[in-house]
Amino acid sequence: MSSVLARMRGKTSLDVLTKAEEIRAEATRLVWNTNIVPKGWRDVFAKPMCRICCDLYDQIKEANEIRATTEGKVQERKQKAQDAINTLGRIYNLIGYLATTLPVDWNRFDNLLTMMVDEEKRLRNWRDSTKLIQPKEKK
């Protein structure tokens, strides 16, 4: 039981979803900057990066919508969280591809890479903390 009165409780935010939004915004700003990715390379880097970042957000949102009331639902939620972790790997790979293809100033990617490392830790903790929700007993 919570020690805070129900009327005084604030709505909690899902940290992994908030961080995914920040990653999506930062990655979009970077890859659509013509000083980083020239217009001729947008189909190769910018559009896929935006799509993958949107996939990350969607996977986290889908995982959060699964109510873990059965063992199967717990596994499904954990799998969706793992899919989001794998999507972060796809973003890393695309950044690596960009770095080996174009002359990139890595200092511009510092913030994004730091957020991604933090997000991966949060996603792993979130995935590992997913447990079966016990139904409330009626009195």
Side-chain angles (χ1 to χ4, degrees):
M1 181 111 192
S2 177
S3 62
V4 179
L5 294 174
R7 63 181 163 72
M8 300 181 98
R9 287 186 205 141
K11 185 172 178 152
T12 58
S13 64
L14 185 60
D15 290 343
V16 290
L17 194 61
T18 304
K19 187 61 76 174
E21 287 175 338
E22 292 172 12
I23 289 171
R24 182 177 60 182
E26 181 68 17
T28 301
R29 278 190 291 274
L30 284 172
V31 296
W32 285 96
N33 183 335
T34 54
N35 294 327
I36 298 171
V37 178
K39 288 182 181 179
W41 290 92
R42 283 187 177 164
D43 286 339
V44 177
F45 297 114
K47 292 176 183 178
M49 177 70 78
C50 293
R51 187 180 64 248
I52 294 171
C53 289
C54 287
D55 289 347
L56 173 68
Y57 179 83
D58 291 341
Q59 288 164 342
I60 294 170
K61 194 166 181 162
E62 287 171 13
N64 189 52
E65 290 172 355
I66 298 171
R67 187 148 167 80
T69 54
T70 66
E71 202 55 48
K73 294 281 188 183
V74 169
Q75 291 308 315
E76 184 181 354
R77 184 176 172 136
K78 284 185 176 187
Q79 183 57 49
K80 291 281 187 187
Q82 183 60 48
D83 291 345
I85 294 168
N86 295 343
T87 300
L88 273 175
R90 290 174 50 211
I91 296 170
Y92 280 123
N93 291 341
L94 190 58
I95 291 172
Y97 179 31
L98 191 150
T100 57
T101 308
L102 300 174
V104 174
D105 177 12
W106 278 106
N107 293 327
R108 294 187 177 212
F109 283 86
D110 247 2
N111 189 32
L112 176 63
L113 293 171
T114 302
M115 286 192 295
M116 288 174 60
V117 167
D118 184 45
E119 178 74 342
E120 186 172 356
K121 289 177 190 172
R122 289 173 190 255
L123 281 169
R124 288 185 190 282
N125 289 338
W126 185 54
R127 177 199 62 198
D128 295 341
S129 68
T130 299
K131 293 180 177 51
L132 186 65
I133 297 173
Q134 300 296 330
K136 294 182 182 180
E137 294 180 19
K138 294 182 181 180
K139 294 182 180 182

